[in-house]
């Protein structure tokens, strides 16, 4: 039977413009699913997030998958090596920076 | 799992968690989300932003994969890059905590918690990060018919960037319930959750800690932020008397004063018989720190419980 674990990596975490989720080690997993939830967003407010990989949890590279949402969204990732995070920004309706509250859950299986 | 010679369990092994087989029931310690809107039950301090727990291969930029004491994976408990001064309540995210939730089976006399551990600052900058780790430790959340109590030990590694390198144990507090939870509404009983409650002092002590006599110990951090030495730890408790019995760490045995015990708080509702071991790590600066565990063995021997 496979191992499964969901980590609530960010719970109702406030971010001021720039968003970086906690570096998460998951080399044991074959597949990952990021669930992103934006809490109480103002109309037109969104988060734009890139899935990132890392050889060491310190230096990060874009994986290619992106999420843009003002409510809830998910992204599937495979073949990601040992570390995962999301990085990006919170964007107000006028295109400027925003302050948002976000929850991020990472569902891992392998 | 094969219990290696690092472990010296009591005859009845309750669980032996080798993290090559998954998280084994260990997860982030979070509050009770029972308030309207699934909010936490009390907001005296921020308990929802501690760092997440994960299975780690202990992989680093220059050394590659360190692996665990037995196999590849260990349990990694991580803080976020945050800290408050030592005499203040813990800053949001300044700790990481992992818990496993069990219940006491009938007829136990003694309980022993053993682990192999290592602790590290994130290797995100040149130099040696040992003094960015404030503390780490473990305790067990226990409740019998009369009392809830949390015996445990804490290694104060550094305060404000200065080495301390000494062990303390949780002992009875004289705080009122309000003082215990930093003047908040007193939902928490004094002595419960000593890892984040209880008035704190600048030397790293709290209103519910006692320094071990002769408890100074230079553990192996090693000479780089990417080198781990798996070090044994063993805490034995007498469940009949609610007293400490023995604490071993590395090559040493630290002596408790006669009759030493933690705060014996009133029993809470609906948790009689719980047996919840918790491990934690605390940052001293705005740098992520981690406690690695591989493995954890919880054992017991029989006798008339209290």
């Amino acid at each position: 039977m496979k191992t499964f674990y969901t980590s609530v990596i960010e719970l109702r975490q406030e971010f001021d413009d720039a968003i970086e989720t906690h570096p998460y080690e998951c080399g044991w997993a074959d597949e990952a699913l990021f669930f992103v939830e934006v809490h109480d967003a103002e109309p037109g407010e969104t988060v734009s997030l890139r899935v990132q990989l890392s050889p060491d949890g310190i230096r990060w590279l874009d994986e290619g998958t992106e999420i843009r949402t003002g409510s809830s969204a998910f992204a599937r990732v495979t073949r990601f090596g040992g570390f995962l995070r999301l990085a990006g920004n919170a964007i107000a309706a006028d295109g400027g920076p925003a302050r948002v509250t976000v929850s991020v859950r990472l569902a891992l299986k392998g | 799992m094969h219990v290696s010679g690092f472990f010296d369990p009591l005859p009845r092994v309750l669980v032996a968690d080798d993290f090559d087989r998954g998280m084994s029931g260990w997860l982030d310690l979070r509050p009770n989300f029972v308030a309207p809107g699934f909010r936490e039950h009390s907001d005296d301090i921020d308990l929802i932003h501690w760092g997440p727990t994960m299975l780690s291969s202990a992989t680093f930029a220059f050394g590659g994969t360190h692996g665990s004491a037995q196999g590849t994976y260990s349990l990694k408990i991580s803080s976020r890059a945050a800290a408050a001064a030592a005499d203040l309540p813990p800053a949001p995210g300044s700790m990481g905590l992992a818990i496993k939730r069990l219940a006491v089976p009938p007829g136990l006399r003694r309980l022993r918690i053993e682990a192999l551990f290592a602790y590290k600052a994130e290797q995100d900058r040149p130099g040696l990060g040992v003094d960015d780790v404030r503390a780490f430790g473990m305790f067990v959340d226990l409740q019998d018919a009369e009392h809830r109590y949390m015996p445990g030990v804490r290694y104060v590694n550094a305060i404000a960037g200065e080495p301390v390198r000494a062990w303390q144990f949780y002992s009875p507090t004289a705080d009122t319930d309000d003082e215990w939870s930093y003047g908040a509404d007193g939902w928490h009983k004094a002595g419960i959750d000593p890892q984040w409650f209880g008035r704190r002092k600048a030397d790293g002590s709290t209103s519910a800690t006692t320094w071990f006599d002769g408890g100074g110990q230079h553990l192996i951090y090693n000479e780089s932020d990417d080198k781990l030495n798996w070090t044994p730890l063993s805490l034995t408790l007498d469940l009949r008397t609610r007293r400490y019995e023995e604490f071993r760490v590395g090559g040493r045995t630290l002596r408790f004063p006669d009759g030493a015990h933690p705060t014996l708080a009133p029993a809470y509702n609906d948790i009689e018989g719980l047996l919840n071991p918790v491990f934690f790590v605390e940052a001293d600066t705005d740098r992520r720190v981690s406690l690695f565990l591989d493995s954890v063995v919880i054992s017991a021997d029989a006798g008339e419980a209290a």
Side-chain angles (χ1 to χ4, degrees):
Chain A
M1 189 172 288
K2 292 183 177 181
T3 293
F4 178 82
Y5 190 75
T6 293
S7 176
V8 183
I9 293 175
E10 307 291 344
L11 179 59
R12 299 173 189 154
Q13 180 66 54
E14 282 194 5
F15 292 96
D16 194 0
D17 185 16
I19 298 172
E20 289 179 356
T21 65
H22 192 93
Y24 203 84
E25 283 206 47
C26 47
W28 60 270
D30 298 323
E31 54 185 273
L33 201 52
F34 273 112
F35 291 94
V36 176
E37 183 181 5
V38 185
H39 300 279
D40 304 321
E42 298 291 332
E45 209 168 58
T46 59
V47 296
S48 179
L49 299 168
R50 308 180 309 280
V51 173
Q52 292 194 317
L53 312 176
S54 173
D56 51 23
I58 308 292
R59 298 155 185 84
W60 296 91
L61 299 164
D62 289 343
E63 182 267 352
T65 305
E66 297 190 8
I67 293 175
R68 184 159 186 149
T69 183
S71 55
S72 297
F74 68 87
R76 291 192 177 97
V77 199
T78 56
R79 293 185 293 165
F80 42 78
F83 298 83
L84 280 173
R85 77 170 186 181
L86 296 174
N89 294 86
I91 304 157
D94 65 2
R99 185 174 185 82
V100 293
T101 301
V102 177
S103 293
V104 176
R105 295 171 175 85
L106 180 58
L108 299 159
K109 189 187 296 179
Chain B
M1 67 172 257
H2 168 67
V3 176
S4 83
F6 275 112
F7 296 90
D8 181 22
L10 294 170
R12 198 164 148 188
V13 174
L14 303 182
V15 289
D17 298 333
D18 178 343
F19 297 103
D20 286 310
R21 299 187 302 167
M23 297 288 285
S24 301
W26 292 86
L27 76 166
D28 300 334
L29 176 54
R30 290 240 163 92
N32 304 324
F33 295 96
V34 293
F38 296 102
R39 307 303 296 193
E40 51 275 27
H41 65 288
S42 62
D43 55 3
D44 25 32
I45 64 170
D46 184 333
L47 300 177
I48 72 167
H49 294 122
W50 309 127
T53 303
M54 59 197 90
L55 292 175
S56 173
S57 60
T59 293
F60 300 95
F62 309 105
T65 294
H66 211 298
S68 65
Q70 298 184 94
T72 300
Y73 295 106
S74 58
L75 190 73
K76 176 178 164 182
I77 303 165
S78 62
S79 81
R80 297 178 196 271
D87 58 350
L88 296 175
S94 61
M95 303 181 72
L97 308 97
I99 186 171
K100 177 165 176 142
R101 296 192 172 96
L102 304 169
V104 178
L108 293 197
R109 185 170 68 92
R110 293 192 298 163
L111 184 71
R112 179 169 291 169
I113 316 291
E114 295 177 276
L116 290 171
F117 71 89
Y119 57 105
K120 287 286 140 190
E122 188 176 68
Q123 196 178 32
D124 62 344
R125 63 199 77 174
L128 184 64
V130 58
D131 291 328
D132 292 317
V133 182
R134 176 171 299 167
F136 63 85
M138 67 84 51
F139 64 93
V140 195
D141 187 359
L142 292 160
Q143 178 166 311
D144 53 36
E146 294 174 64
H147 291 293
R148 188 177 185 187
Y149 60 111
M150 296 187 167
V153 291
R154 178 178 181 235
Y155 183 71
V156 181
N157 176 67
I159 298 286
E162 295 297 321
V164 177
R165 314 284 198 265
W167 287 96
Q168 51 189 208
F169 60 93
Y170 291 130
S171 51
T173 181
D175 281 1
T176 65
D177 291 350
D178 282 0
E179 288 169 340
W180 180 251
S181 48
Y182 307 113
D185 62 7
W187 186 90
H188 300 277
K189 298 300 180 192
I192 297 304
D193 288 333
Q195 74 280 17
W196 54 54
F197 286 132
R199 289 176 293 172
R200 271 128 220 276
K201 295 181 183 172
D203 69 351
S205 63
T206 81
S207 62
T209 56
T210 297
W211 298 99
F212 276 97
D213 189 19
Q217 185 177 23
H218 284 262
L219 293 169
I220 307 171
Y221 182 85
N222 211 307
E223 299 164 316
S224 174
D225 294 332
D226 59 359
K227 294 182 178 175
L228 282 67
N229 288 76
W230 299 99
T231 302
L233 172 152
S234 170
L235 178 67
T236 307
L237 307 164
D238 188 326
L239 299 182
R240 298 172 310 172
T241 61
R242 309 183 187 96
R243 290 180 177 174
Y244 293 106
E245 189 169 300
E246 186 183 71
F247 177 49
R248 303 178 206 159
V249 55
R252 295 188 56 194
T253 298
L254 299 183
R255 301 287 174 198
F256 290 99
D258 285 347
H261 60 81
T263 306
L264 303 179
Y268 282 40
N269 292 332
D270 301 321
I271 57 170
E272 182 176 333
L274 93 169
L275 194 179
N276 292 359
V278 175
F279 286 84
F280 61 89
V281 66
E282 306 172 44
D284 192 54
T285 64
D286 60 344
R287 187 173 187 182
R288 295 185 191 98
V289 298
S290 297
L291 178 69
F292 299 79
L293 301 175
D294 186 71
S295 302
V296 179
V297 176
I298 301 174
S299 60
D301 66 7
E304 291 299 315

